[in-house]
Structures are given as C-alpha cells and as structure tokens.
C-alpha cells in the first residue's frame, strides 16, 4: 500500500535542504546524512511542504484510484504534529511562469517566507522515549480543488528525532485498524502491508528503464549502479529492469551492474531510445512500461519506485504516462520544465523558472495545465503505446519526444517529487543543432498541426535574418539545408543515413575555441558589450547595420571587437558591429565572427529560392509525411535502419 517515503538531503545527490524540509523559525534542524535522519532541537518547527515530501492529493485523485492516505511517521521525543492542507491557484501559477526572463537566474540566498495560514486538518501531541510510530489519515475523495497536504513537526523538548515518514494508500477504516494490529505484533508500520483486497485492485507493473548514451561512460555507470543499489533489497526489485543503449560502442556487450548493455548503430537519441523500446518489448519479461532517461542526468532512484506505485493504482495504466520535472544541476532548486506544449514551430516549457525552495512555487506545481509532451530526460510510457501508435520518428536528435508525445501520450502526469537534474541546455551551443530544430519542427507541423505556406515562409525568413544579424553565416547555410531536406519529402527522410548526415553537419558548423586558443590569436574576453539605446525601427531598416557604411560605425567597433555572451546575447548586441567575440562563460569557449555583407546577398538569393519552393510544394510534401507516418515508424523499418537481424 506504500505510495512513497519522505526523503532527506543526500551528500552525493542534492544538499539543497529546502527541497526536502523548511524550518519555520530560527531554531535549525540538523540533518545527519550518514544516518538519514533529522534532529530537531527544542522549539524547532519543520514543515515538509516541499518538492520531494509534499503529497499532491489532487494529482492522485485525478489519475489514480487513491482517495485516502495514511501518513506514517517514526519519531523519538516529544512533538506537536500538524497535518495541513493548501489549495493551489492557477493565476498564481501563471504569474510565477512570467517571472523567468530567458533563463537568467538571480543567485540569491533563500530567505524564510512569511508564514501563511494553511488549513489545519489534524493536530496531535506525542511523546516517545525511544523510536515510536504515529499515523494520520486523510480522506480527500470529496475535494474539488487542486492542492496538497503536508506535515509540520514542532519539537517540545530536546532530543527530538525524525527517523522516517511514509504515505500509504488506505482502502478502508478496517485496513487502518489491521495496520495497527500488525504494527503491535511486528513493531514496524513502515513495512508495506498488502491485503487480499488491495491485491485485487492493483495493476501489475514492470518498468524497463532505457538509458541512451554516447561516450559518457562515467555518467552511465554511476546511474545504473545507483539504480541497482537502491532496489537491491526492495520488494519492487523484480519490477525494474535496466537497458543501456550504447550508441558510441564503448561499453561492450553483456551486463553491467545487472543492466543489459546493447551496442547500437549511432542514429542519435532517436535511434538509441527506439532501440531501447524494441529491446524492452522483445525481452520476453512482461514489461508493462518503458522509462526513457538521458545518460547525463542526476536523479534519486526513488522516483522510479514512485512511478511504480502510481501506476499500480492508475485508473488507466494502459494510457497513463508519467513525466519527470527537469531541474538544473548548477541551480538545483531551479525548475526548468514541468511538462511542455507544442505551439507550432515552438517548444513551450511549462512552469519554467519556479524556485522550488518556496512553498508557493511548489503549490503552483499542483495546477494542471494542458500539455502535449514531456521530454525524454525522464518519461515513462506504456509498452502498449507501440502497438497502438508505432515507434518514434527517425529524427536523430531534437523533437522526437515532442512528436511522439503529440502522437501517443493520451494522459501525462507530472507531479511534485518526480524530477531529475540536468545541465543547463542554454549553456551549450552547437551550430549543427539548428538543422534538427528546423527540419524536425517542419515535419512535426506537417504531421500534427500543419502551418500554411505563408506562415512557414515567414518563420524561415525570420530565422535567416536573425542568424545574419548574429553573423553566424555557417548556421544560415545549415538552416537552408534543413528546409531543402524537408522539401525532399518523406522518402528522402526515410532513407537518410543519419550518422553520415550528422558528421557532415558537424564539419560544416562553427568551430568553438578554448579560452587559451582565443587568447593565442589575440581575442581576450572583455567586459560584455552593453547595447546603446537606438530605435527598433532604425535597427530593422538598416538590418542592424548591414546597410550602414562601416565609416559610420563607432570608432571602437571599427578598430576593435565586442565581447557578447553567446548564451544570452540578442540581436541588439550586434547592431553596427564589425567584429564580435561570442563567448560562452559557462564552458569558457567561443568563436569570432566578422560582418560579411556579401553573405547577405547570397542568403537573399537562397531565401527567394526556398520561399518559391515552399509556396509550390509545402502542401504536397506535408501530406506525404502525414500519410506515410506508419511507414516511417514501423518496427521492421526501424530494424532495417538499426541493422538489427
């Protein structure tokens, strides 16, 4: 009947305590990492209204048969224990989403928030001379508002210790009585008890964890070892299997920490994850779900156990998908995405920028919003999806999770407490990615939400104009190539050698240099350029300086160069810029660009050519992708691509 256990900060995982518990006054709790417990001095008040320990009752009510929970606590000392409830507000959620400004984060210390007045459900005073157990119960079957519940502990005397906590599904009042009877006999209410009645209503769940990797041996070994260690002595061990798809062919065949290692032809993340799905289905081990995970994430394996418990009691396990929130490794409390939408040529992250140290942001996560997909850094889907909808498209990278979500995800549950940490995507720049962004967006739109040729042309022209302003001329050619390849139709896409194409793109892209290499050729990162106030109209009319003779540029721009932030730069940074050092302060790499007016003329000719083709061919080409989707996603076709016998 266990749903999930309370968790505390871990040294090797995350030490951001406000993701696990919050102190409500100036008396601080002491987290003992080695013993996995919390010591509370006299007067210390701690709330578990946090990302990992809050109970999202409205999510469980919507997606599962759980409508009543018991909260089991193991404590030592004298405490006042309070069970609280808060209601979520969609307007607050949307206001928080607007708070993020392009991923620019203000690094600030957490300050204790003003104490609010949550709804008190129940209060108990307990005293234990040694470790003892106490249980709260809450029936939320009649709740009609979104929200969560949580526990507060207040230590009355010295020596208070919080050992453990757990949320369990309650079937009836009788089952609670039975649990206490079992507890008196076994002295352990934290042992998961399963009644005959509960067995009848549980779904049989088995998850195949698929990790796709390319030359990241250290990350992969760490993650699969952590999974196996976590499940080693748990009853749910038989419900989890791990499949590592090695696109770099550096791990060898066989097993590693009981995970199956599969050498694979490098067809990118799309090919790796698809191979993993095929391996799960063909393993003959009765897997009900597959869980797709990136190789370079940091995560607590308990999130897999949470998924299992949710799916056990899911109303529709054959259609329910469970997505993981993404947080940032460098800012562990920063929520990058909690589900996402496809807005036609745009990926829209939901609830981006939330500060998960704050209970307000955690509460806003309870608000359900329409979503189209969850990214494959952590996405669990039913195996039956393949039979009903086919396999993913052969995108190589970027957008495969979007398209498969649009096509296959009937229900997506994203919930507080199921999340992973990933490095900041915006800290990376690879010019070849622009090919996949544009080509794959065109294909997704063609299949699911066809845009008219005029809108497609407008998007194309804007993309080229932006790269011209940013002086990234090789990217201009890459984007043009993406549109040309899309217009070649589904047959070309189906037969394309993805590995060969990727090598061509990398060879034609922008080469980034290290800080040392830049200094050797005379470019030292300087103070970031601050754009001057110039009317938008003037910038557009001169195409940000292309139509302005260089003699009218500022003297410092005629004889020197600007330094701009590669990650956060805008077109305003390039107005009347002759030479620019585009530098990534996360990776200490960069490249130098120079204004080349003849590139504008060449790009203009390409724009005319592509626009003409789009106007004539877009409708027919889009229809070809839609009508042949089954061919592109067929299992036998994928086996041909992956060279599986």
């Amino acid at each position: 009947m266990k749903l999930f256990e309370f968790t505390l900060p871990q040294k090797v995982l995350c030490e951001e305590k406000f993701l696990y518990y919050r102190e409500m006054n100036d008396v601080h709790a002491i987290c003992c990492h080695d013993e996995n417990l919390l010591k509370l001095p006299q007067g210390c008040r701690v709330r578990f209204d946090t990302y990992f320990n809050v109970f999202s009752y409205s999510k469980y009510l919507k997606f599962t048969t759980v409508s009543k929970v018991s909260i089991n606590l193991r404590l030592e000392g004298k405490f006042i224990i309070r069970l609280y409830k808060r209601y979520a507000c969609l307007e607050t959620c949307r206001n928080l989403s607007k708070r993020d400004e392009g991923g620019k984060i203000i690094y600030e210390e957490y300050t204790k928030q003003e104490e609010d007045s949550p709804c008190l459900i129940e209060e108990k005073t307990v005293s234990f001379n040694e470790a003892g157990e106490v249980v709260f119960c809450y029936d939320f079957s009649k709740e009609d508002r979104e929200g969560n519940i949580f526990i507060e502990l207040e230590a009355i005397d010295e020596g208070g210790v919080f050992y453990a906590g757990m949320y369990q599904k309650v079937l009836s009042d009788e089952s609670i009585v039975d649990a206490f009877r079992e507890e008196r006999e076994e002295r352990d209410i934290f042992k998961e008890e399963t009644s005959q009645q509960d067995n009848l209503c549980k779904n049989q769940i088995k998850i195949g964890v698929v990790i796709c990797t390319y030359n990241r041996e250290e990350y992969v070994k760490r993650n699969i070892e952590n999974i196996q260690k976590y499940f080693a002595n748990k009853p749910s061990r038989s419900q989890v299997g791990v499949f590592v798809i090695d696109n770099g062919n550096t791990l060898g065949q066989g097993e590693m920490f009981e995970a199956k290692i599969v050498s694979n032809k490098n067809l990118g993340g799309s090919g790796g994850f698809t191979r993993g799905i095929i391996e799960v289905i063909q393993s003959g081990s009765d897997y009900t779900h597959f869980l797709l995970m990136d190789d370079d994430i940091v995560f607590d394996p308990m999130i897999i156990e949470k998924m299992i418990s949710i799916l056990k009691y899911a109303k529709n396990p054959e259609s329910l998908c469970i997505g993981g929130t993404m947080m940032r490794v460098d800012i562990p409390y920063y929520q990058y995405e909690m589900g996402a939408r496809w807005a036609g040529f745009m990926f829209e992250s939901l609830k981006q920028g939330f500060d998960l140290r704050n209970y307000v942001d955690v509460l806003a996560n309870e608000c359900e919003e329409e979503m189209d997909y969850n990214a494959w850094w952590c996405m669990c889907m039913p195996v039956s999806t393949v039979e009903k909808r086919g396999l993913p498209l052969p995108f190589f990278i970027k957008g495969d999770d979007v398209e498969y979500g649009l096509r296959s995800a009937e229900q997506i549950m994203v919930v507080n407490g199921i999340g992973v940490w990933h490095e900041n995507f915006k800290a990376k720049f690879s010019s070849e990615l622009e090919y996949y962004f544009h080509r794959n967006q065109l294909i997704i739109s063609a299949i699911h939400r066809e845009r008219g040729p005029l809108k497609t042309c407008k998007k194309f022209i804007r993309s080229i104009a932006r790269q011209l302003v940013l002086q990234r001329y090789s990217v201009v050619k890459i984007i043009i190539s993406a549109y040309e390849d899309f217009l070649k139709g589904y047959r070309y896409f189906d037969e394309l050698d993805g590995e060969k194409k990727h090598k061509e793109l990398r060879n034609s892209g922008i080469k980034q240099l290290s800080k040392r290499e830049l200094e050797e050729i005379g470019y030292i990162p300087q103070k970031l350029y601050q754009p001057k106030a110039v009317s938008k109209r003037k910038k557009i009319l001169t195409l940000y300086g292309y139509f302005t003779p260089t003699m009218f540029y500022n003297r410092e721009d005629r004889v020197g160069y600007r330094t701009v932030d590669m990650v956060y730069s805008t077109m305003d940074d390039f107005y009347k810029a002759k030479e620019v050092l585009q530098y990534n302060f996360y990776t200490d790499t960069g490249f130098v660009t120079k204004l080349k007016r003849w590139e504008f003329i060449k790009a203009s000719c390409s724009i005319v050519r592509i626009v003409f083709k789009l106007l004539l061919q877009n409708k027919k080409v889009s229809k070809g992708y839609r009508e042949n989707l089954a061919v592109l996603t067929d299992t036998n076709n994928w086996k041909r691509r992956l060279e599986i016998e």
Side-chain angles (χ1 to χ4, degrees):
M1 292 187 290
K2 181 178 75 173
L3 297 175
F4 65 91
E5 299 175 8
F6 286 47
T7 53
L8 294 174
Q10 301 175 48
K11 282 186 176 180
V12 297
L13 180 67
C14 177
E15 295 187 67
E16 184 59 63
K17 68 179 181 181
F18 299 110
L19 295 179
Y20 300 89
Y21 64 90
R22 292 193 308 123
E23 295 133 331
M24 298 306 297
N25 53 27
D26 295 330
V27 183
H28 296 289
I30 301 169
C31 184
C32 302
H33 297 94
D34 295 337
E35 301 172 84
N36 195 35
L37 55 82
L38 204 61
K39 294 182 178 179
L40 284 72
Q42 185 176 12
C44 181
R45 284 174 59 218
V46 167
R47 282 183 180 175
F48 293 98
D49 54 347
T50 55
Y51 177 77
F52 282 112
N53 290 320
V54 78
F55 183 78
S56 306
Y57 71 79
S58 53
K59 301 266 188 177
Y60 278 85
L61 195 59
K62 178 177 180 179
F63 294 104
T64 76
T65 59
V66 179
S67 60
K68 193 172 188 177
V69 292
S70 65
I71 303 95
N72 304 351
L73 305 172
R74 177 175 285 142
L75 307 165
E76 181 179 326
K78 189 174 182 180
F79 290 91
I80 298 175
I81 312 170
R82 303 178 181 93
L83 175 62
Y84 284 116
K85 171 176 61 180
R86 286 198 185 102
Y87 290 121
C89 173
L90 184 58
E91 183 179 356
T92 300
C93 174
R94 288 173 178 166
N95 288 337
L96 288 172
S97 296
K98 295 176 183 177
R99 195 174 59 188
D100 182 50
E101 296 181 3
K104 292 186 178 181
I105 312 302
I106 299 174
Y107 295 86
E108 57 185 14
E109 291 296 323
Y110 175 82
T111 55
K112 186 172 74 69
Q113 295 168 283
E114 291 295 323
E115 187 170 344
D116 67 331
S117 301
C119 176
L120 179 63
I121 299 173
E122 188 176 356
E123 179 177 303
K124 292 182 182 181
T125 300
V126 299
S127 181
F128 300 108
N129 292 327
E130 58 183 26
E133 292 82 22
V134 60
V135 177
F136 286 78
C137 187
Y138 178 55
D139 184 342
F140 51 91
S141 59
K142 305 299 182 184
E143 289 287 354
D144 59 359
R145 295 177 62 183
E146 296 169 324
N148 56 41
I149 61 172
F150 59 92
I151 287 288
E152 178 185 277
L153 299 177
E154 182 176 354
I156 303 302
D157 57 15
E158 291 293 340
V161 180
F162 168 78
Y163 288 104
M166 178 193 296
Y167 294 100
Q168 293 200 77
K169 174 182 168 65
V170 175
L171 294 172
S172 64
D173 292 337
E174 288 75 15
S175 65
I176 300 176
V177 175
D178 289 342
F180 276 110
R181 187 180 300 117
E182 297 278 354
E183 183 270 326
R184 284 193 294 272
E185 294 173 359
E186 300 185 20
R187 304 299 301 165
D188 189 4
I189 64 172
F190 287 86
K191 181 179 179 181
E192 184 178 1
E193 302 294 344
T194 305
S195 68
Q196 185 175 4
Q197 181 184 359
D198 191 42
N199 266 329
L200 293 174
C201 70
K202 282 197 304 186
N203 306 310
Q204 299 304 309
I205 302 300
K206 188 172 184 180
I207 294 178
V209 180
V210 176
I211 300 174
C212 175
T213 185
Y214 183 83
N215 292 347
R216 284 190 170 127
E217 296 86 349
E218 183 180 344
Y219 288 97
V220 172
K221 290 177 181 178
R222 176 199 65 196
N223 285 336
I224 60 177
E225 185 178 15
N226 287 342
I227 292 172
Q228 299 299 351
K229 281 183 178 180
Y230 181 85
F231 285 99
N233 299 312
K234 289 184 174 289
S236 53
R237 178 181 181 180
S238 61
Q239 296 175 274
V240 179
V242 181
F243 298 79
V244 178
I245 310 304
D246 180 17
N247 282 350
N249 296 303
T250 57
L251 295 173
Q253 293 278 10
E255 289 192 353
M256 179 185 296
F257 306 116
E258 299 182 30
K260 182 178 180 181
I261 310 298
V262 181
S263 294
N264 193 47
K265 182 179 179 181
N266 183 23
L267 295 184
S270 302
F273 282 124
T274 301
R275 177 67 183 270
I277 295 170
I278 293 172
E279 291 291 333
V280 169
I281 293 171
Q282 296 185 350
S283 66
S285 298
D286 299 322
Y287 286 100
T288 60
H289 292 75
F290 53 83
L291 171 58
L292 308 179
M293 304 186 82
D294 278 347
D295 58 350
D296 57 347
I297 56 173
V298 176
F299 68 96
D300 189 332
M302 64 83 187
I303 67 172
I304 303 174
E305 194 171 39
K306 282 188 177 183
M307 290 181 181
I308 292 172
S309 71
I310 289 171
L311 292 168
K312 274 183 184 178
Y313 302 108
K315 293 176 181 176
N316 300 296
E318 290 295 310
S319 60
L320 180 61
C321 305
I322 302 176
T325 300
M326 179 189 146
M327 300 165 285
R328 280 177 47 172
V329 168
D330 56 333
I331 316 173
Y333 54 81
Y334 176 83
Q335 183 168 272
Y336 180 85
E337 184 173 296
M338 192 180 197
R341 282 194 288 256
W342 169 250
F345 294 132
M346 293 284 290
F347 310 124
E348 181 185 352
S349 297
L350 298 177
K351 299 180 173 69
Q352 188 175 79
F354 282 21
D355 183 342
L356 297 180
R357 298 174 297 182
N358 299 329
Y359 76 83
V360 174
D361 300 55
V362 172
L363 184 62
N365 274 348
E366 309 296 353
C367 295
E368 283 290 313
E369 296 187 84
E370 288 187 15
M371 65 182 68
D372 295 317
Y373 69 97
N374 193 88
W376 286 354
W377 48 66
C378 182
M379 178 60 161
C380 183
M381 303 184 75
V383 165
S384 59
T385 301
V386 177
E387 184 178 348
K388 292 188 288 186
R389 306 291 184 183
L391 290 164
L393 279 169
F395 276 158
F396 198 86
I397 51 176
K398 300 300 177 187
D400 41 8
D401 46 7
V402 181
E403 192 282 325
Y404 204 55
L406 285 165
R407 172 161 44 107
S408 308
E410 298 176 40
Q411 286 185 317
I412 305 176
M413 179 182 181
V414 287
V415 62
N416 281 316
I418 296 181
V420 303
W421 290 274
H422 200 293
E423 65 181 347
N424 181 17
F425 287 126
K426 293 179 180 178
K428 291 182 177 181
F429 172 79
S430 298
S431 56
E432 65 267 21
L433 293 183
E434 292 293 332
Y435 173 85
Y436 299 105
F437 279 130
H438 287 271
R439 186 201 64 178
N440 297 349
Q441 286 174 4
L442 287 165
I443 295 173
I444 295 169
S445 294
I447 293 170
H448 296 286
R449 298 173 188 174
E450 185 181 357
R451 312 281 285 183
L454 292 178
K455 289 184 178 180
T456 304
C457 291
K458 186 177 180 181
K459 169 70 175 177
F460 171 65
I461 294 169
R462 282 185 171 180
S463 299
I464 296 299
R466 173 178 169 77
Q467 297 302 327
L468 285 171
V469 172
L470 299 181
Q471 302 177 3
R472 298 175 182 176
Y473 304 113
S474 61
V475 177
V476 169
K477 297 173 184 176
I478 285 172
I479 294 175
I480 291 170
S481 173
Y483 276 78
E484 287 176 333
D485 286 357
F486 164 74
L487 289 168
K488 291 175 183 176
Y490 84 92
R491 286 192 181 89
Y492 172 81
F493 178 62
D494 185 28
E495 299 296 332
L496 181 66
D497 185 331
E499 188 171 18
K500 181 180 178 181
K501 182 67 177 182
H502 190 67
K503 288 179 180 178
E504 291 175 359
L505 291 168
R506 297 202 71 175
N507 291 333
S508 64
I510 295 174
K511 306 299 184 295
Q512 297 189 52
L513 304 177
S514 67
K515 184 178 181 180
R516 178 183 173 184
E517 290 172 322
L518 289 167
E519 290 175 347
E520 286 176 352
I521 59 174
Y523 293 92
I524 301 172
Q526 302 170 341
K527 183 178 178 181
L528 287 177
Y529 174 76
Q530 297 297 321
K532 297 177 175 59
V534 180
S535 71
K536 186 85 172 177
R537 184 178 181 182
K538 185 175 182 180
K539 292 175 184 176
I540 293 174
L541 288 175
T542 63
L543 192 59
Y544 286 78
Y546 270 88
F547 303 152
T548 304
T550 306
M551 61 182 293
F552 294 112
Y553 283 18
N554 293 327
R555 183 180 180 280
E556 58 267 28
D557 288 314
R558 294 198 305 270
V559 299
Y561 61 91
R562 296 178 186 176
T563 299
V564 304
D565 190 324
M566 186 195 306
V567 178
Y568 296 114
S569 61
T570 66
M571 291 195 294
D572 291 341
D573 293 316
F574 291 80
Y575 175 62
K576 292 170 64 173
K578 182 181 177 183
E579 192 170 1
V580 179
L581 169 57
Q582 303 191 38
Y583 195 75
N584 188 330
F585 290 88
Y586 286 100
T587 60
D588 280 329
T589 58
F591 54 89
V592 179
T593 59
K594 298 179 181 181
L595 185 70
K596 299 176 181 177
R597 290 184 172 88
W598 68 84
E599 291 288 353
F600 170 79
I601 298 171
K602 290 162 62 177
S604 298
C605 295
S606 296
I607 287 174
V608 172
R609 176 169 53 83
I610 297 297
V611 165
F612 185 70
K613 284 186 175 182
L614 283 170
L615 292 174
L616 291 178
Q617 302 175 21
N618 185 71
K619 189 173 182 178
K620 181 181 178 181
V621 169
S622 297
K623 184 179 179 182
Y625 284 104
R626 282 195 305 274
E627 292 183 347
N628 292 278
L629 179 61
V631 174
L632 295 170
T633 61
D634 177 69
T635 299
N636 290 329
N637 206 356
W638 260 111
K639 287 182 176 181
R640 172 188 61 80
R641 295 188 194 102
L642 293 167
E643 299 175 0
I644 302 174
E645 295 182 358

